[in-house]
Amino acid sequence: MLYKESFYAKEGLADIYHSVMEGNRITPEQGLRLLEHSNIQAVGALAHHVRMRKHGTNTYFVRNMHLNYSNVCIHPCTFCAFKRSSEQSEGAFIYSHDELLEQLAQEQAEFAEIHIVGGCHPTLSLEWFTSLVKKIKALQPQADIKMFTAVEIDHLAQIENIRIEDVLQALKDAGASMLTGGGAEIFAPRVRKQVCPTKLNAEEWLHVHSVAHSMGNLSNCTMLFGHIETIEERIDHLCRLRELQDKTHGFICFIPLPYQRKNNPLSSKVTTNDSYIDRMKTIAVSRLMLDNIEHIKAYWIMLGVKEAQSALYFGADDIDGTIVEEKIGHWAGANSSHALHIDELRFMITQSGFTPVCRNARFLAA
Ligand code: SF4
């Protein structure tokens, strides 16, 4: 429940309270003040107010499956515990089409969303992927195929020596018309130089999504936080997403991803606190800053079930889905389970006092 105006005045947040009440946009300076503020309940209540205004008690979940085709990757991202340098490296994998289709078939379920990402493999071709999508679509015609991060799209454009537009069109023609939100990390060049020095920069990441949006595709967007970034760099990241969304309206959901600290070299360089308060405040400020993005996800894989439930009171309105098998977060130390049954997701939401709504990748009822 929202506190009274006098409470926000005492907390030095009267101007932000008024902006929220009047439906006005939060400025970068106000966003920064919220992230720095010591009263987490005051910040959370503002975000919850916006969430309730947008969605009431509706809280979304999806019957989905993650498919990782390979973890072989040419990039050296320092936060990544998933990638392997070559197919000969210990723990490396590359699945054939048949093996991936077998993973899907084993589940004996009709998925509303199939989420496909992997490393930037040095030789897999665009044709290998379009042919895979067609086979998956034949097996699961009802599913939205959410395929690739902007990083993989950029990588395929380079491998094939074609434009971003051509990669996206080929995938769309095959049946995959949505992009995942991965690869954004933190947009600030200072941070990217240390966490993902060789992959696409902020402008290139945003360009891939803007091209996808111009083709009528929807996409998600993310921010990997809680490592070496400053809070100013978090706000800058949110502002850049907000600016693009003003132009294209193609982002459907924002996913704040807390950095996982195991099995990756970045963990020895971390400068931020790993705390519940920081995670909840960041989710709340995301809800408040991103007034033009409809949904904020509490990704239970990275937060764990209990924190994801808490996040529903800090502005989040979606908890993601069944997943089936998650590798990327777990190999970096996420200690949630690998999968949740659809009934467990429903229970998670009702137990927290919200109304479960089963959706597809476009947030339509499924
Ligand atoms: S985050 Fe993605 S691009 Fe970076 S090393 Fe890991 S798999 Fe490769």
Side-chain angles (χ1 to χ4, degrees):
M1 200 177 71
L2 194 58
Y3 298 100
K4 291 195 172 129
E5 182 184 1
S6 54
F7 169 82
Y8 282 100
K10 260 193 245 150
E11 295 286 334
L13 299 173
D15 58 323
I16 301 177
Y17 171 85
H18 286 296
S19 289
V20 169
M21 287 298 104
E22 288 153 26
N24 293 332
R25 182 162 273 191
I26 302 292
T27 68
E29 179 279 322
Q30 289 174 323
L32 199 54
R33 217 155 10 106
L34 287 166
L35 263 187
E36 283 171 330
H37 206 278
S38 58
N39 190 332
I40 179 184
Q41 301 302 347
V43 178
L46 287 170
H48 187 60
H49 182 79
V50 173
R51 177 254 207 257
M52 292 298 283
R53 190 164 63 203
K54 277 183 177 289
H55 305 290
T57 60
N58 282 354
T59 298
Y60 300 88
F61 67 105
V62 60
R63 189 188 293 273
N64 66 349
M65 179 166 182
H66 282 202
L67 281 180
N68 301 126
Y69 52 90
S70 174
N71 62 348
V72 175
C73 183
I74 59 167
H75 291 295
C77 303
T78 57
F79 59 86
C80 183
F82 171 74
K83 86 137 229 178
R84 296 296 182 269
S85 302
S86 78
E87 288 180 27
Q88 286 69 45
S89 307
E90 197 188 336
F93 66 87
I94 172 164
Y95 293 121
S96 66
H97 286 187
D98 284 348
E99 286 169 325
L100 290 163
L101 295 173
E102 176 59 24
Q103 287 176 28
L104 261 179
Q106 264 175 10
E107 294 310 310
Q108 299 185 336
E110 286 197 351
F111 293 104
E113 172 190 293
I114 297 172
H115 171 117
I116 305 174
V117 294
C120 290
H121 190 281
T123 56
L124 288 181
S125 68
L126 180 57
E127 200 278 325
W128 190 89
F129 289 110
T130 52
S131 149
L132 173 66
V133 175
K134 286 179 195 159
K135 291 175 190 169
I136 291 176
K137 261 302 204 194
L139 205 63
Q140 298 264 342
Q142 75 296 329
D144 286 321
I145 308 224
K146 188 148 60 68
M147 188 159 184
F148 290 157
T149 62
V151 184
E152 292 159 281
I153 299 290
D154 179 67
H155 173 67
L156 274 173
Q158 290 184 40
I159 283 208
E160 302 285 350
N161 198 20
I162 56 176
R163 299 174 313 157
I164 299 291
E165 286 85 335
D166 301 327
V167 177
L168 290 168
Q169 192 61 55
L171 291 171
K172 188 170 187 169
D173 292 345
S177 58
M178 283 192 74
L179 283 186
T180 73
E185 325 315 355
I186 290 281
F187 288 141
R190 180 195 76 85
V191 176
R192 291 189 96 69
K193 210 185 275 178
Q194 295 180 66
V195 308
C196 52
T198 58
K199 70 188 185 192
L200 77 190
N201 64 25
E203 289 71 29
E204 290 163 338
W205 188 96
L206 291 164
H207 174 67
V208 172
H209 282 263
S210 83
V211 172
H213 298 169
S214 74
M215 294 167 59
N217 295 355
L218 292 171
S219 67
N220 288 339
C221 50
T222 59
M223 173 173 75
L224 182 76
F225 69 97
H227 42 93
I228 58 163
E229 82 288 4
T230 63
I231 53 173
E232 287 82 0
E233 286 163 339
R234 285 187 203 176
I235 295 294
D236 168 70
H237 187 97
L238 295 175
C239 288
R240 285 177 180 236
L241 291 174
R242 187 166 80 175
E243 269 167 36
L244 179 60
Q245 180 72 342
D246 276 342
K247 292 182 196 143
T248 65
H249 311 289
F251 290 129
I252 194 157
C253 184
F254 173 70
I255 312 160
L257 297 169
Y259 163 63
Q260 308 292 316
R261 301 180 175 222
K262 291 209 179 120
N263 306 324
N264 59 81
L266 185 62
S267 58
S268 61
K269 304 212 164 59
V270 163
T271 52
T272 58
N273 285 331
D274 181 22
S275 75
Y276 167 81
I277 289 178
D278 186 52
R279 288 189 286 278
M280 292 304 120
K281 243 196 306 182
T282 302
I283 291 167
V285 172
S286 305
R287 176 63 288 163
L288 290 164
M289 289 290 295
L290 298 174
D291 57 340
N292 53 2
I293 298 183
E294 209 48 30
H295 300 283
I296 304 288
K297 188 186 300 284
Y299 188 36
W300 66 263
I301 286 280
M302 298 295 210
L303 291 167
V305 166
K306 288 205 171 107
E307 280 199 19
Q309 286 178 304
S310 255
L312 299 179
Y313 285 92
F314 286 85
D317 61 276
D318 178 71
I319 58 167
D320 205 86
T322 44
I323 308 278
V324 181
E325 192 191 350
E326 201 283 337
K327 296 186 183 75
I328 295 170
H330 283 92
W331 289 16
N335 58 12
S336 51
S337 57
H338 282 268
L340 286 177
H341 190 272
I342 203 87
D343 293 335
E344 292 176 295
L345 293 166
R346 254 193 215 101
F347 180 69
M348 245 178 97
I349 294 169
T350 48
Q351 190 192 39
S352 313
F354 293 90
T355 311
V357 180
C358 193
R359 64 160 175 90
N360 65 12
R362 289 163 286 129
F363 280 81
L364 302 172

